[in-house]
Amino acid sequence: MNKPLSVLVLSALVLTSCGSVRDSRANPFNWFGNSRSEPIEASADVNPLIPRSRRASIFRTKEDTTYRGREVGEVTNLLIERRPGGAIVRATGVGDRQNLFDVKLVPVPEESDEDTLTYAFKALQTRGPVGTTASRSVTAAVWLTDNQLAGIREIRVKAARNVQVSRR
């Protein structure tokens, strides 16, 4: 009688401790939380018909400065998937029109700092019909190594009308 009772009490204690592991930093599913959307404030002094000047940055690569894509309308989902050796940052968005292609997450070094990574969600667009939301949705992803993620507390993906943010 003592042996089954002690096994029952011991298993109850072990199972109740699983709840604390679920919320701890040791659990890999908690390394980045759920993303949330933040609106972008439109400044009054920006004219959308006049293109912004491209500031030179030592962090930009040649591919980043030559990419001519425009920002996608909205980011609807941001997901950071941990993998051995790094993480995959995957963003899903909805464009203003159909016919989006060559979708990329382009780094924005001017808005990034030592604990924040910022990406612009861009795509090449042609004229086309508006269509349904499902026909305008696109997905892009970027691979980040553990070295690139070291010290990063926040990942931001910005579109034309909102920003999705995921924090550790």
Side-chain angles (χ1 to χ4, degrees), residues 46-103:
V46 176
N47 185 344
L49 300 176
I50 301 173
R52 292 183 294 167
S53 64
R54 294 189 178 259
R55 291 189 286 173
S57 174
I58 60 171
F59 299 109
R60 283 189 167 172
T61 63
K62 183 175 180 180
E63 179 180 323
D64 294 338
T65 58
T66 59
Y67 186 68
R68 303 298 250 177
R70 295 186 331 179
E71 288 183 342
V72 174
E74 282 186 43
V75 181
T76 57
N77 190 15
L78 174 62
L79 184 63
I80 290 113
E81 301 172 345
R82 291 292 296 182
R83 296 289 181 254
I88 298 171
V89 177
R90 184 176 58 173
T92 304
V94 177
D96 296 331
R97 297 190 169 274
Q98 291 178 346
N99 302 333
L100 299 174
F101 63 97
D102 196 19
V103 183

Side-chain angles (χ1 to χ4, degrees), residues 21-44:
V21 173
R22 179 188 66 199
D23 298 326
S24 74
R25 296 211 24 124
N27 187 350
F29 292 108
N30 293 336
W31 287 345
F32 281 98
N34 292 334
S35 65
R36 69 177 204 287
S37 179
E38 296 176 353
I40 292 180
E41 297 176 15
S43 59

Side-chain angles (χ1 to χ4, degrees), residues 6-21:
S6 62
V7 168
L8 180 66
V9 169
L10 184 63
S11 64
L13 288 174
V14 168
L15 288 176
T16 57
S17 68
C18 290
S20 64
V21 173

